[in-house]
Amino acid sequence: MAVTGAGCDLTYSKMRGIVSFFTAFIKDRKMGLNDIIQKLGSNPHICQHSDVRVFLKIDESQKKETEEPRCLVSPRNSMAEETQRVKPSDFDYLKVIGKGSFGKVLLARHKESEQYYAVKVLQKKIILKKKEQKHIMSERSVLLQNLHHPFLVGLHFSFQTTDKLYFVLDYVNGGELFYHLQRERVFLEPRARFYAAEMASALGYLHSLHIIYRDLKPENILLDSQGHIVLTDFGLCKEGLAPNGTTSTFCGTPEYLAPEVLQKQAYDRTVDWWCLGSVLYEMLYGLPPFYSRNTAEMYNSILHKPVELKPNVSNAGRAMLEGLLQKDRTLRAGARNDFMELKSHPFFSPINWDDLMAKKITPPFIPSVSGPTDLRHFDPEFTHLPVPGSLGNSDCLVTSSLREAASAFPGFSYTPHADHAFP
């Protein structure tokens, strides 16, 4: 059997191959870098590949976490060092809308105000086992600064119990950019430019605060109900990096890693512009620029192969992609004058930046949502999960294994000011 059309000659086996490729791509995109490393480490044949051994420091000691222990009895005042005006029982937890390495994100309604929030609930034991306390506290710090920018998700409150951390965040229900891109395959250039401009504005703001984001990808970019982008998930941010400063932590998502990160070299804020180039390329062409199901092959392409630019993009768009996906970070778009350099690029000439920041530009696509409980743009893989019954508990039985967790995050709780009330 063959499918034939204008310029198309696909056998059944080829069609199955294409479906298999995109199924694997979508599945892999849900895996973080740590999960990729763990998957590679479990395969001794792949593990022996020289490129894999060079690119990845495989931690074979990592094991999958077991289910969280159930909370049984509340201890007295286990979080006495932090005055908590907000607590887990203040919310009704309605649906699971996301899941990560350390816990879940839930749609929750505040009982008194009836306002809806996205509540990120993290398991302390898992964080401590993976030694990620600094990243979590850094995420909290970055979130506190986000309320001043229109395209960054904001933190309203944070609080903790003996075994869990809670972030109360803006609730955004227009869906992940990845969800919409997966459905439509590619975006027309004006739509891709609009999203890229809002992303660039958000990244430029973070850079002005000496923060690099390091994990820009369509899964971390949400659309609000009006169609504007909202950048979320700040767990990999690096704070305190001066304009000419560098860092060297190997982190990110495989498809979007910049060459200098792969080579274990010192890198700077221009890694974010590489990631922006990768996301822009994906919006215009349907896949990240160097994507391959073979991780070692993909990394080799990132390091050595020129980016392929097809002719269905304007000259300004091609120039923007070439500038952002420049392998030499010192020559990359944004290397000299950061966000200001991108703003003046011909690709963004149709954008009025003042109107963009004021949300006066009508988005090219407005998600169809009937209200806050409309979850059509969330993955059913998450929304079909049961809501854990222990979330409304303020504390749990303190065992010896939980004593360290109970006191490992001093100063985590946050309320804007003492007389704050929910809106």
Side-chain angles (χ1 to χ4, degrees):
M1 175 184 174
V3 179
T4 307
C8 176
D9 186 9
L10 293 178
T11 63
Y12 176 72
S13 61
K14 285 182 180 179
M15 288 179 66
R16 285 191 61 186
I18 292 171
V19 171
S20 174
F21 174 84
F22 280 101
T23 300
F25 168 67
I26 291 167
K27 182 178 179 182
D28 286 346
R29 288 293 299 275
K30 295 181 186 221
M31 300 176 67
L33 183 57
N34 288 336
D35 296 324
I36 290 285
I37 293 172
Q38 193 168 321
K39 183 179 177 183
L40 290 174
S42 66
N43 189 318
H45 298 293
I46 297 177
C47 219
Q48 295 305 315
H49 194 288
S50 59
D51 286 335
V52 173
R53 295 182 69 84
V54 170
F55 292 142
L56 302 178
K57 295 178 180 177
I58 300 173
D59 181 0
E60 294 185 61
S61 66
Q62 288 183 353
K63 296 179 181 178
K64 290 186 178 180
E65 301 296 334
T66 56
E67 289 296 316
E68 65 187 82
R70 290 189 179 181
C71 291
L72 302 174
V73 182
S74 296
R76 293 184 184 178
N77 205 21
S78 66
M79 294 292 114
E81 74 279 4
E82 295 185 24
T83 301
Q84 293 185 192
R85 298 179 61 82
V86 188
K87 55 188 181 298
S89 58
D90 291 340
F91 298 87
D92 289 320
Y93 300 91
L94 307 177
K95 280 285 186 178
V96 178
I97 56 176
K99 187 178 179 183
S101 301
F102 305 130
K104 296 180 175 69
V105 181
L106 297 105
L107 168 61
R109 182 178 56 235
H110 187 253
K111 292 176 181 178
E112 184 178 337
S113 70
E114 298 188 350
Q115 292 293 314
Y116 289 88
Y117 298 93
V119 180
K120 188 173 182 177
V121 185
L122 308 178
Q123 302 298 320
K124 288 184 179 181
K125 283 183 65 178
I126 302 177
I127 295 168
L128 291 172
K129 186 170 183 179
K130 295 189 175 183
K131 299 179 179 178
E132 293 286 342
Q133 301 97 301
K134 287 185 178 179
H135 280 156
I136 298 302
M137 294 305 289
S138 177
E139 179 173 13
R140 173 195 174 279
S141 176
V142 172
L143 281 166
L144 285 178
Q145 303 176 73
N146 285 355
L147 287 169
H148 306 293
H149 196 279
F151 310 128
L152 295 172
V153 73
L155 175 70
H156 294 271
F157 300 90
S158 60
F159 53 92
Q160 61 177 305
T161 63
T162 304
D163 63 330
K164 298 182 186 72
L165 300 174
Y166 293 73
F167 287 111
V168 180
L169 305 164
D170 293 332
Y171 171 55
V172 182
N173 68 334
E176 295 176 355
L177 193 69
F178 179 59
Y179 169 84
H180 295 287
L181 191 53
Q182 180 185 333
R183 291 183 62 193
E184 301 183 42
R185 199 178 72 81
V186 296
F187 297 150
L188 295 177
E189 191 166 324
R191 182 174 175 183
R193 174 172 33 244
F194 175 81
Y195 294 149
E198 292 193 338
M199 290 177 220
S201 171
L203 292 173
Y205 174 75
L206 290 175
H207 292 178
S208 73
L209 299 176
H210 297 171
I211 297 167
I212 54 175
Y213 182 63
R214 299 198 291 193
D215 200 23
L216 188 72
K217 57 183 177 181
E219 293 91 329
N220 285 346
I221 303 158
L222 308 179
L223 294 186
D224 67 17
S225 59
Q226 302 303 309
H228 295 284
I229 73 107
V230 180
L231 201 58
T232 187
D233 199 342
F234 300 89
L236 293 186
C237 283
K238 173 67 175 178
E239 294 184 279
L241 201 72
N244 295 322
T246 61
T247 187
S248 57
T249 306
F250 183 67
C251 65
T253 298
E255 294 90 336
Y256 304 94
L257 292 176
E260 60 269 25
V261 178
L262 278 176
Q263 291 174 315
K264 310 287 185 5
Q265 297 175 350
Y267 58 88
D268 58 15
R269 62 191 184 185
T270 57
V271 294
D272 284 341
W273 302 131
W274 171 278
C275 291
L276 178 64
S278 297
V279 173
L280 177 58
Y281 185 102
E282 186 171 359
M283 289 191 290
L284 294 170
Y285 293 125
L287 285 172
F290 302 100
Y291 181 75
S292 170
R293 290 171 63 182
N294 182 315
T295 305
E297 181 180 305
M298 179 170 68
Y299 285 177
N300 184 65
S301 297
I302 291 172
L303 288 173
H304 304 298
K305 288 191 177 179
V307 63
E308 293 184 19
L309 297 175
K310 298 169 187 175
N312 59 316
V313 173
S314 69
N315 289 338
R318 290 160 63 91
M320 184 81 269
L321 288 170
E322 288 173 342
L324 293 170
L325 295 172
Q326 165 60 245
K327 296 184 192 299
D328 183 344
R329 66 178 176 87
T330 65
L331 302 177
R332 192 171 299 156
R336 293 186 304 277
N337 202 21
D338 203 51
F339 175 48
M340 297 304 294
E341 187 179 331
L342 269 66
K343 286 176 70 173
S344 61
H345 193 282
F347 177 66
F348 288 122
S349 60
I351 299 292
N352 181 311
W353 293 96
D354 290 335
D355 288 349
L356 185 89
M357 286 293 292
K359 292 187 174 180
K360 291 181 179 178
I361 300 176
T362 303
F365 167 78
I366 299 175
S368 176
V369 288
S370 59
T373 58
D374 186 343
L375 304 178
R376 73 182 72 181
H377 298 303
F378 290 97
D379 194 330
E381 176 187 345
F382 302 135
T383 57
H384 288 167
L385 292 172
V387 175
S390 63
L391 289 179
N393 296 342
S394 292
D395 279 305
C396 67
L397 177 67
V398 178
T399 64
S400 58
S401 63
L402 284 176
R403 293 190 193 282
E404 181 187 3
S407 59
F409 301 88
F412 176 82
S413 298
Y414 161 74
T415 303
H417 43 77
D419 60 347
H420 180 91
F422 278 86

